[in-house]
Amino acid sequence: MEERRIPVSVIVERRAASSPWIDHLWVPVAVLPARTVAKPWTVLHRNNGVTAYIAGQTEVELHPSDTLGYKANLETGRPMLWVVLRPCLEEPGMALHRVLADAAEAEALVSVGGEGVIEPVPMPGPVRELVEAFVAEHHRDRGFFKRTRDRADPEALGVRPRAGAAGHGRR
């Protein structure tokens, strides 16, 4: 089965925070449906405590085994992509890690915990069309199969004599 990779670029804002514990927030704001020529963390603009960056380029990976999640995302009527940022030592202190099309995969990363940012942004039309085509090609409805359990053996629930102790039970 073939996977599909969709090249994208991500726009992120660094916003001043009104908190005594942190001085700024990282907020993904958009995914562009193509690679840009800009280097990662190129400043797009600065205005009133907000700095917008091209965080970098990556690929949305689509796998045939995950089409149920993509299909559910598309069926919401407002499909999203989840941008994953991780802290790093290089300036500006964050790195673009991944962009996901499956909410369950994003939720799994959130439940793992750790530092970083995982936020949804609207899925651009050209990416949506590619995801829809991928789902149409690879999705197969799988019926629900209830597993039948083996019947319990009532004889197996009894106490078994120990090896070499037949007839010498405790009193």
Side-chain angles (χ1 to χ4, degrees), residues 4 46 75 87 89 110 133 138 163:
R4 175 83 193 257
R46 288 187 171 96
E75 289 174 348
L89 297 175
V110 169
H138 295 286

Side-chain angles (χ1 to χ4, degrees), residues 10-15 26-27 29 41-47 49-55:
V10 178
I11 298 176
V12 173
E13 291 180 350
R14 180 180 167 163
R15 299 177 183 170
W26 291 100
V27 182
V29 294
W41 300 103
T42 298
V43 174
L44 297 174
H45 66 80
R46 288 187 171 96
N47 189 14
V50 175
T51 304
Y53 299 89
I54 291 282

Side-chain angles (χ1 to χ4, degrees), residues 15-20 22-25 49:
R15 299 177 183 170
S18 57
S19 167
I22 57 172
D23 60 345
H24 63 272
L25 300 169

Side-chain angles (χ1 to χ4, degrees), residues 143-168:
F144 177 76
F145 297 101
K146 185 171 181 175
R147 185 175 70 102
T148 56
R149 295 177 178 238
D150 296 332
R151 295 239 179 250
D153 179 7
E155 296 299 319
L157 300 175
V159 179
R160 294 184 183 161
R162 289 190 225 159
H168 296 100

